[in-house]
Amino acid sequence: MKLVGAIWIIAAAWWIGRLLAKPYRQRIVCLEQGLGLLDQLRAEIGWHHRVLTEAFKRASCSYSAWKPMADYLSQQIDQHETDFTTAFHHALDRVLGLWTKDRDIWENLGQVLGKSAVDYQLEHLQSAHHELARQLTDARTQGLKTARMMEALVSLTGVAIVIVLI
């Protein structure tokens, strides 16, 4: 019976560690897909000359983290509920894994996309891409370290509890 209890405690500690590390890993996925989305947007806006909502919808097809955002943005604009910048701001709430500093970059991008010429939009897309790439590098180095440390510490806490109980 003690062995079963010990296994349950260690499994629960491992699961809690994974749960606590999830935001760090989710941010990395979100940033990776966001960079891909920006690349696709440059093609959709620059080469295909698509309307912004259509460009977001087409570009997000391959990126599951960003698809709900693009769908919401398209829905809000199609229903004439609000302007692009406000709809973009609210649509960012649909993206899981964005941290405040990442969201600020996207917010600035949304303000420019709704109100400027295509060439300036493409320049700002490139600038946002560089800033997000730097954020991704930081997230991969620091975020993954923190996630692994969290998983290890919580798992070791579970092992310590088992040792104390035995």
Side-chain angles (χ1 to χ4, degrees):
M1 193 56 118
K2 284 184 178 181
L3 181 62
V4 172
I7 291 171
W8 275 104
I9 290 172
I10 292 172
W14 175 82
W15 182 78
I16 290 171
R18 297 282 296 179
L19 189 66
L20 292 174
K22 186 177 180 178
Y24 296 97
R25 296 186 194 286
Q26 194 173 30
R27 178 181 184 219
I28 292 170
V29 169
C30 181
L31 287 172
E32 289 171 343
Q33 290 187 8
L35 289 174
L37 177 71
L38 288 178
D39 289 336
Q40 292 290 325
L41 276 176
R42 277 199 313 258
E44 292 291 331
I45 293 170
W47 298 336
H48 301 293
H49 304 291
R50 301 215 193 275
V51 178
L52 284 174
T53 54
E54 182 65 24
F56 267 99
K57 205 167 195 181
R58 290 178 57 89
S60 70
C61 287
S62 304
Y63 305 106
S64 59
W66 291 89
K67 184 126 180 63
M69 178 265 195
D71 291 341
Y72 180 81
L73 180 65
S74 178
Q75 175 189 8
Q76 290 298 306
I77 298 297
D78 289 346
Q79 294 176 357
H80 303 290
E81 293 291 324
T82 184
D83 64 310
F84 181 83
T85 306
T86 306
F88 191 83
H89 171 77
H90 292 300
L92 285 175
D93 293 336
R94 306 290 190 272
V95 181
L96 302 176
L98 274 183
W99 288 17
T100 304
K101 50 189 165 182
D102 309 330
R103 187 182 171 97
D104 291 342
I105 296 168
W106 284 98
E107 292 276 348
N108 291 336
L109 179 64
Q111 291 173 356
V112 171
L113 287 180
K115 300 176 183 170
S116 59
V118 172
D119 291 337
Y120 187 65
Q121 289 178 20
L122 293 174
E123 285 179 28
H124 205 69
L125 281 169
Q126 185 65 32
S127 172
H129 188 280
H130 288 304
E131 290 179 43
L132 289 170
R134 192 180 41 185
Q135 294 286 7
L136 178 59
T137 303
D138 292 345
R140 282 184 178 150
T141 56
Q142 202 57 27
L144 282 178
K145 284 180 189 175
T146 304
R148 285 188 206 119
M149 182 181 64
M150 220 176 264
E151 288 173 342
L153 285 176
V154 174
S155 296
L156 288 174
T157 302
V159 171
I161 290 171
V162 167
I163 290 172
V164 167
L165 292 177
I166 292 180

